[in-house]
Amino acid sequence: MPRESCWRIDGARVPVQVVLHGGLAVIRNRRARNPLKRVVDTQSALELGRSKYLQYLVMEKCIRRMFFKIMPSLADSVDVLEHPFPIAETGPERLALEAPVRFWFGFLGKATESKGFELFRQLAETVRMSAPGKAEFHAIGPLGRLSNCGDLSALDRQPEREMLVRSEYVKGLKQMHYICFPYRSAHYELSVSGSVLDAVAFSKPMLAARLPIFADLFNRFGDLGDLSDGPEEWKKTLLRIVSKPYRSRYRLQQDAMESLQRSRSISALAESYRQVCRRGRDRFG
């Protein structure tokens, strides 16, 4: 936020809330030495934007913790409003594990390196060779920029060349048993993933990298799926799932996902938002 805008906020004495969403990850970038460039980067904008009338909001508790590690000077200016879901799109889509079980694993959104698409592709190859006929792998979204796009023939659904319309994306999502999130850490420690929100909105158990955004949800809501570190652990996790389907555990994972989904409804978050507004009002004086 430009410094002039902050002066106007101070002058008008009007409380303002600013949601820090997708672009916050840039504060991890190496800053320019040139003071003329440094003064207009995101960190400077946030620092200069400090005002008792200005309240920053981030969308997850783990993002707030990481934000404070990088910019501790803003500790009193940032609150958490956990990301709600559009009412029209939420609702459990429970799939039963019918015998013979054939698991459908999904990868949501743009297929990019930061989202771990290459690992997803490798997992499809491994499971197809080690447990033929036990699983399908579906990439539900467009193909992004990849420095190494290997053989996609192991995927039962390959990434599209163009963006999917929302209805087609949701239709594909509803068919999945598990959603895979082999994400890399750099971007998603400070940004909410829309694909994660979609999985939660439709109560789909998650197979995820052990990153704060996932570990925090698992710690709070229980068995939402599985967390894995590194390619080998990912392979072991998927082979275990397809080799020994545990119907009772899968139902419990669906229950946990539904509990998480309910916690992000508009009505469930209303009281939390009231408290955020009260803290802002107290700070405004």
Side-chain angles (χ1 to χ4, degrees):
M1 176 174 291
R3 179 166 44 187
E4 292 80 3
S5 299
C6 300
W7 289 341
R8 293 191 186 102
I9 291 171
D10 280 336
R13 297 186 178 183
V14 176
V16 174
Q17 292 178 328
V18 176
V19 178
L20 303 176
H21 206 318
L24 193 58
V26 298
I27 67 174
R28 293 183 63 116
N29 295 348
R30 185 175 181 178
R31 304 184 73 186
R33 292 185 177 182
N34 186 331
L36 296 179
K37 293 182 178 180
R38 193 180 181 94
V39 77
V40 294
D41 68 11
T42 300
Q43 287 203 37
S44 292
L46 293 170
E47 289 278 3
L48 294 172
R50 282 186 295 178
S51 164
K52 70 176 183 178
Y53 297 103
L54 183 62
Q55 184 181 29
Y56 293 127
L57 301 180
V58 295
M59 310 305 283
E60 295 290 341
K61 293 178 180 178
C62 61
I63 292 177
R64 186 174 187 258
R65 292 194 296 270
M66 179 57 66
F67 184 84
F68 288 170
K69 287 182 180 179
I70 299 171
M71 299 190 69
S73 61
L74 293 178
D76 294 334
S77 303
V78 181
D79 284 287
V80 179
L81 175 63
E82 293 180 317
H83 205 301
F85 299 118
I87 297 174
E89 287 195 342
T90 56
E93 295 289 334
R94 293 186 78 113
L95 298 179
L97 297 183
E98 303 291 348
V101 177
R102 185 180 176 90
F103 284 96
W104 284 33
F105 297 102
F107 183 98
L108 299 182
K110 187 173 290 187
T112 64
E113 290 186 30
S114 64
K115 296 181 74 171
F117 177 73
E118 175 58 19
L119 176 55
F120 181 76
R121 188 197 65 78
Q122 292 173 8
L123 292 170
E125 288 183 340
T126 298
V127 174
R128 172 168 284 194
M129 289 187 296
S130 302
K134 295 292 184 71
E136 293 189 14
F137 288 77
H138 294 250
I140 307 168
L143 184 65
R145 292 183 179 180
L146 292 166
S147 60
N148 177 27
C149 184
D151 183 9
L152 300 178
S153 62
L155 300 178
D156 296 273
R157 177 174 181 170
Q158 298 180 11
E160 308 290 337
R161 296 297 170 179
E162 298 179 354
M163 293 292 292
L164 284 176
V165 297
R166 182 68 182 177
S167 59
E168 285 299 312
Y169 173 84
V170 171
K171 180 181 178 181
L173 165 58
K174 288 181 177 181
Q175 296 174 321
M176 299 300 111
H177 291 103
Y178 285 98
I179 306 300
C180 297
F181 298 102
Y183 288 2
R184 298 181 179 181
S185 64
H187 182 74
Y188 292 101
E189 287 181 339
L190 285 163
S191 178
V192 177
S193 166
S195 299
V196 175
L197 299 177
D198 288 332
V200 177
F202 290 97
S203 304
K204 296 296 181 179
M206 300 184 290
L207 305 178
R210 199 178 300 276
L211 299 179
I213 189 171
F214 298 112
D216 188 57
L217 295 176
F218 276 64
N219 288 337
R220 293 167 59 195
F221 293 94
D223 188 2
L224 301 173
D226 277 285
L227 298 176
S228 298
D229 286 313
E232 292 306 313
E233 188 172 351
W234 269 95
K235 292 174 184 177
K236 290 179 182 178
T237 296
L238 266 69
L239 290 173
R240 170 178 51 79
I241 290 172
V242 301
S243 300
K244 295 181 179 180
Y246 290 105
R247 291 176 176 81
S248 59
R249 186 187 175 197
Y250 186 70
R251 287 193 294 270
L252 290 174
Q253 290 172 343
Q254 291 174 312
D255 291 342
M257 289 299 299
E258 288 178 16
S259 176
L260 170 54
Q261 192 269 345
R262 288 192 297 271
S263 77
R264 297 304 181 90
S265 68
I266 301 297
S267 57
L269 291 172
E271 178 56 32
S272 175
Y273 185 54
R274 275 193 288 268
Q275 294 176 8
V276 167
C277 292
R278 289 192 192 105
R279 288 194 292 272
R281 184 184 59 199
D282 293 343
R283 194 154 56 236
F284 303 148

